[in-house]
Amino acid sequence: MLLSIKALEKRYGGARALGGANIEVAAGSVHGLLGENGAGKSTLIKTLSGLVTPDAGEILIDGKPASIESVRHAEELGFRFIHQELSLVPHFTAVENAFVGRAYPKRGPFIDRAAMARAIAETARDIAPDLPLDVPAARLTTGQKQLVEIIRALIGEPARLVVMDEPTASLSDGEARRLHKAVRRLAERGVAVIFISHRLDEVMEICDRYTVLRNGVTAGAGDVSDIDRPGLVRLMSGREEAELIARPTPARSPVALKVSDLPFGDHGSRISFEIKAGEILGLYGLVGAGRSSLMKIVWGATSHREGTITLEGRALRPGHIGDRIAAGGAYVPEDRRHEGLIVSRTIAENLAIANLKAVRVAPSLPWVGLAALRRRAEEVKAALSVKMGSAFAKPLTLSGGNQQKLLFGRWFGRPIRLLILDEPTRGVDVGAKAEIHAVARRFADEGAAVLMTTSDMDELLALANRVLVLAGGEITAELSGSSLTPARIIDAAFQHQSRKDPAA
Amino acid sequence: MTGFVRRFGTLAALIAIIIAFSIASPDAFGSPSNLINITQQMTLLAIVAIGATVVMAVGEFDLSTASIVSFGGILVVFLFKAGVPAPLACLAVLAAAAVFGAVSGFVVSRFEVLSFIATLAVGTIIGGITFWLCEGATLFGDIPGGFRDIGRGTMLGLPTLTWWLIGVAACAWIILDKVEIGRRLYAIGGNREAARLAGVRIVPNTMFAFIVSAVLSALVGILLTARIGSANPTGGGGYLLSAYAAVFLGMTAFREGEANVPGTLVGAAIIAVIGNGLTILGVSTFLQDIITGTIILAAVLVRRAGKQGA
């Protein structure tokens, strides 16, 4: 075995990322690494690249115990990593990009461009014969950029293991097929490939073996020829069927939010759905399914040309956040640090910024009163049980869960008719998570239509009345009541290529 | 202790510099009349710097300020020569500057152009217009005596220019620290995307900041012309760097790394006091620049060190 990992464990603070992960990868094989969002795939990969030091467990390379000290060390071991976010210099050609950070061939003190071109042309002939090598990376398609990354991984010290993190996530089918060929050729050269993908069909097609992670533990591994698609889904979801009954949809409520024909995803798809007052609609999809950008369109943070959004019969203009706020909208963004908190300002101001009229000294004077700021902060603190000291401290002095509550508190004090939640409890500990769920339910109970997206299956099942599953740019399932089960959700989320299957 | 040093260290430095010069030159520097004179000397720089402070509050730079100072001075004399009455001429100058500020602010916020580049371009355009208006020459003559009084003489025991500074600083402080628009400007400067997602409108608020900066720069051009009785197309050239130096010094005072009006006043005072004191001590102007630059660097480095220690 080129690489064996045994009982690997890793914790981040209180959260367990890996709790006994095993994987065995042989030279010259393509190994599919599968799992839901947050199953521990990234952490496992980071231990291989030297970015993360495991807390426990063994890494064997060629049967000998090893520890990967640094990124440099991983490189020396012949491990190469191709990340989802490609890191090419846009105005460099394939040849120039391939040598960034590698030893340049030299003639005297000068870089030997001819030797560079020769080296790349040789590798490219094997892997991707039709890749243009003398065009700036900015003009290449995403798929071609992936091929450049693969070639780059093979330059310099010989590669023994190439890890590819969802390389086909944003590729067209034709490009994906070209990439599959390149991956197979890589394996034929004796290189081991760890291939992370959410497209089960492609895993079945190009991988020799598979390993499924669930909640940081290896849930199953074996030869791809010995398992079928439903088997993989079962391993990934791992939950008992019908374990939870979802909250019933409030049947008699009127429709509050109506979304019609909004553009969604990269493939020109459209999406329509409705949410009743008091209902929590969960959107589930794999990372990259386009959920966050949809939420931003609904909130008006991104404009759209086609489709309409109405809230309680009022049309919301594309790209006008002010319309949403005026109609009783509220939004809790995905990225607390970059899209939520204004870290240079006080907690009180962070709570007031969306509704400065509430902190005036007198109703007709746009003068911000310190006493009013403090009073509002105290109200939010009491209502959402935020653990904080002074209202005029900076938000980063609070814990992640309490920071997250500030983002809810920002909308507190007005009747909320629409609440948009994008990953409402990311990076929040378990206790605060439950409290935040209670806050979200309270907004719903007070009559808000709640649109939520989360990668956390448990959160989805805990909060949502109804779930829409998104895959490949369309709604692949609408689940509620007894049909709202983890296995149904996972199965629908992995239906990526079924739509091209004429039988489906 | 470190919190205290962080908040008031820059102010303490100003006081220490004043005490040091007063000991070195008790009669000339330390005299009450000289200290009052310094407030007058710092006025024009400080008003430009206050404009820069408002733009920095939204996290942008305005490199057109110096051009607008020159433009304001030239345009007001140009209008006098055309027979426009002084109050109307001044209003016209401020309005023209507001238009330039609005253009800069719009380009920066609507099209997300780097403010460095946008305001450099706008400033270059304004410089061209200025030279065109005056045909490259210094303008003098036809300046009404009543107009000149807004930049010279005293009122209620203080120099007229000092009153201008007090008025502008008070207004700017209220705008940034007391009323709603200030919260919006600082929110944009602190985290533009978060402010936008919370419903703060980026374009009008950013435009407002650039308009304030442009109008204050034009005001300085008018006051400068009133004070010296002529207008030079490069008259504002020196203000850009020292205004931002004052703002950066001010960011080390009172607040943690945010441009703020009281801090900017302290920053401008430090620069003015050093200039005045070194001149009285007979230090050459070259050496003055070297010393001023060194002090700014030291202030920023001290702040850095304080931040890491915290």
Side-chain angles (χ1 to χ4, degrees):
Chain A
M1 264 318 132
L2 169 64
L3 173 74
S4 328
I5 287 181
K6 290 185 180 148
L8 206 65
E9 288 181 28
K10 178 69 191 175
R11 284 178 169 276
Y12 295 106
R16 188 184 77 172
L18 290 177
N22 307 308
I23 187 170
E24 301 223 312
V25 184
S29 76
V30 181
H31 195 108
L33 180 58
L34 302 166
E36 294 179 41
N37 300 324
K41 297 178 307 241
S42 309
T43 309
L44 182 65
I45 294 314
K46 281 184 187 156
T47 59
L48 287 179
S49 65
L51 288 169
V52 162
T53 315
D55 300 332
E58 254 190 318
I59 300 177
L60 305 176
I61 297 168
D62 298 323
K64 288 187 281 289
S67 74
I68 300 163
E69 309 286 348
S70 64
V71 177
R72 180 81 220 134
H73 185 202
E75 178 102 18
E76 283 164 9
L77 289 169
F79 293 2
R80 303 283 183 271
F81 300 86
I82 299 174
H83 298 285
Q84 220 176 338
E85 291 89 36
L86 301 178
S87 48
L88 298 178
V89 182
H91 51 269
F92 276 19
T93 63
V95 173
E96 287 165 329
N97 265 301
F99 277 94
V100 172
R102 305 257 185 273
Y104 285 99
K106 291 221 179 114
R107 178 179 288 165
F110 301 108
I111 289 171
D112 188 347
R113 284 183 168 271
M116 278 167 68
R118 266 198 311 279
I120 299 302
E122 250 169 59
T123 316
R125 200 167 47 235
D126 278 4
I127 300 296
D130 50 355
L131 179 72
L133 297 177
D134 48 0
V135 170
R139 299 225 303 269
L140 298 177
T141 66
T142 314
Q144 289 173 325
K145 286 181 195 163
Q146 289 278 8
L147 295 174
V148 175
E149 289 276 7
I150 294 175
I151 290 168
R152 183 177 140 70
L154 299 177
I155 295 296
E157 290 158 66
R160 301 194 62 205
L161 172 72
V162 174
V163 179
M164 303 174 86
D165 188 2
E166 283 194 68
T168 54
S170 48
L171 298 193
S172 69
D173 292 340
E175 282 188 318
R177 269 195 296 280
R178 215 161 298 147
L179 189 103
H180 294 161
K181 271 189 206 138
V183 170
R184 289 303 328 175
R185 290 203 194 97
L186 213 53
E188 281 157 21
R189 286 171 58 147
V191 176
V193 179
I194 295 181
F195 193 86
I196 300 175
S197 176
H198 287 312
R199 296 183 173 186
L200 294 187
D201 311 37
E202 95 181 343
V203 170
M204 303 297 297
E205 192 182 314
I206 71 162
C207 293
D208 304 306
R209 289 181 60 80
Y210 68 89
T211 294
V212 175
L213 288 183
R214 188 173 69 232
N215 294 330
V217 182
T218 296
D223 284 336
V224 168
S225 52
D226 295 342
I227 196 164
D228 56 359
R229 211 188 106 101
L232 285 175
V233 170
R234 248 192 322 276
L235 281 176
M236 279 190 285
S237 73
R239 290 177 180 80
E240 294 300 318
E241 297 278 335
E243 164 191 306
L244 271 163
I245 304 293
R247 285 154 43 95
T249 305
R252 296 224 303 273
S253 305
V255 167
L257 181 80
K258 197 167 181 318
V259 163
S260 314
D261 294 322
L262 278 194
F264 170 72
D266 303 328
H267 306 287
S269 314
R270 297 275 182 277
I271 190 169
S272 302
F273 56 86
E274 295 177 347
I275 310 179
K276 290 177 178 171
E279 185 188 21
I280 301 179
L281 175 71
L283 294 185
Y284 188 82
L286 299 164
V287 171
R291 290 171 294 149
S292 281
S293 50
L294 178 67
M295 306 294 258
K296 287 220 163 77
I297 289 177
V298 175
W299 180 238
T302 311
S303 196
H304 59 99
R305 282 170 191 280
E306 285 149 67
T308 56
I309 306 169
T310 59
L311 180 57
E312 299 186 325
R314 289 162 76 172
L316 304 176
R317 285 174 292 171
H320 279 255
I321 294 173
D323 280 11
R324 278 76 174 164
I325 294 175
Y331 174 68
V332 176
E334 175 182 18
D335 184 337
R336 182 160 65 232
R337 189 70 191 274
H338 295 106
E339 299 178 328
L341 296 172
I342 298 155
V343 297
S344 56
R345 307 305 294 178
T346 61
I347 290 169
E349 272 184 59
N350 270 282
L351 290 173
I353 189 65
N355 187 11
L356 284 167
K357 284 201 177 76
V359 290
R360 289 181 172 184
V361 287
S364 55
L365 200 65
W367 194 282
V368 176
L370 287 183
L373 275 174
R374 184 184 295 117
R375 199 162 52 240
R376 185 181 159 78
E378 293 299 329
E379 279 168 18
V380 171
K381 177 182 173 178
L384 306 185
S385 57
V386 184
K387 282 171 205 73
M388 66 185 208
S390 162
F392 297 110
K394 297 286 166 66
L396 290 188
T397 58
L398 305 182
S399 71
N402 285 302
Q403 290 174 23
Q404 193 69 15
K405 286 182 193 169
L406 296 185
L407 300 184
F408 282 85
R410 181 174 280 174
W411 307 103
F412 186 78
R414 274 187 301 194
I416 294 301
R417 310 306 305 161
L418 167 67
L419 175 63
I420 301 177
L421 303 177
D422 195 348
E423 302 285 353
T425 59
R426 174 170 290 180
V428 163
D429 63 74
V430 181
K433 202 174 248 187
E435 289 176 15
I436 288 170
H437 288 170
V439 171
R441 274 193 214 101
R442 188 156 99 205
F443 275 104
D445 291 343
E446 287 165 6
V450 181
L451 172 62
M452 171 185 71
T453 179
T454 176
S455 308
D456 178 343
M457 179 69 73
D458 294 320
E459 176 162 276
L460 190 74
L461 294 168
L463 279 180
N465 304 115
R466 185 160 60 95
V467 170
L468 297 181
V469 183
L470 305 168
E474 51 197 61
I475 298 175
T476 51
E478 176 172 350
L479 306 168
S480 62
S482 58
S483 72
L484 184 48
T485 63
R488 297 279 291 264
I489 293 170
I490 296 277
D491 187 55
F494 282 87
Q495 268 175 26
H496 193 284
Q497 285 186 316
S498 319
R499 69 198 160 93
K500 280 144 214 146
D501 183 355
Chain B
M1 178 61 200
T2 50
F4 181 82
V5 170
R6 273 219 303 278
R7 287 175 73 108
F8 297 106
T10 313
L11 184 60
L14 172 62
I15 293 166
I17 294 168
I18 292 175
I19 291 172
F21 277 127
S22 301
I23 292 167
S25 166
D27 302 326
F29 180 86
S31 71
S33 68
N34 184 55
L35 293 179
I36 288 174
N37 185 38
I38 291 175
T39 65
Q40 167 172 280
Q41 286 176 348
M42 70 183 269
T43 290
L44 299 182
L45 163 66
I47 294 178
V48 176
I50 287 168
T53 305
V54 178
V55 170
M56 294 263 313
V58 291
E60 306 287 356
F61 284 93
D62 182 359
L63 299 189
S64 67
T65 47
S67 309
I68 295 179
V69 172
S70 308
F71 166 80
I74 290 288
L75 181 61
V76 78
V77 181
F78 181 85
L79 291 174
F80 289 152
K81 286 183 182 301
V84 179
L88 205 60
C90 291
L91 281 180
V93 169
L94 299 182
V99 171
F100 289 128
V103 169
S104 296
F106 185 73
V107 170
V108 166
S109 54
R110 177 69 182 78
F111 303 109
E112 303 192 350
V113 175
L114 284 181
S115 56
F116 270 117
I117 298 167
T119 58
L120 191 64
V122 170
T124 307
I125 293 169
I126 295 169
I129 295 172
T130 307
F131 273 88
W132 185 36
L133 285 174
C134 68
E135 292 168 343
T138 299
L139 297 185
F140 47 85
D142 302 315
I143 299 176
F147 169 77
R148 293 212 53 194
D149 287 341
I150 66 170
R152 61 184 181 186
T154 60
M155 239 173 68
L156 304 171
L158 283 180
T160 313
L161 278 181
T162 304
W163 285 112
W164 278 105
L165 175 57
I166 292 170
V168 168
C171 289
W173 180 68
I174 287 172
I175 287 175
L176 282 186
D177 277 16
K178 291 293 150 194
V179 295
E180 283 177 11
I181 188 150
R183 307 290 120 167
R184 296 200 192 96
L185 297 180
Y186 276 127
I188 293 172
N191 188 340
R192 189 184 142 105
E193 185 61 9
R196 188 174 81 92
L197 291 172
V200 176
R201 295 171 68 205
I202 305 296
V203 174
N205 285 297
T206 307
M207 283 174 71
F208 173 81
F210 278 92
I211 290 172
V212 169
S213 167
V215 167
L216 290 181
S217 298
L219 174 66
V220 167
I222 292 171
L223 293 175
L224 182 65
T225 300
R227 175 155 186 78
I228 62 181
S230 68
N232 185 297
T234 58
Y239 287 108
L240 179 64
L241 288 181
S242 26
Y244 276 94
V247 178
F248 282 119
L249 276 174
M251 285 169 71
T252 66
F254 305 122
R255 300 250 195 89
E256 286 177 42
E258 258 181 347
N260 65 94
V261 174
T264 297
L265 285 178
V266 171
I270 288 176
I271 292 171
V273 165
I274 292 171
N276 176 285
L278 292 178
T279 306
I280 285 175
L281 293 180
V283 177
S284 82
T285 50
F286 316 122
L287 200 53
Q288 284 184 29
D289 283 351
I290 294 171
I291 292 171
T292 309
T294 308
I295 285 175
I296 293 167
L297 245 135
V300 177
L301 289 176
V302 165
R303 192 190 133 60
R304 231 331 93 111
K307 207 174 182 178
Q308 279 161 359

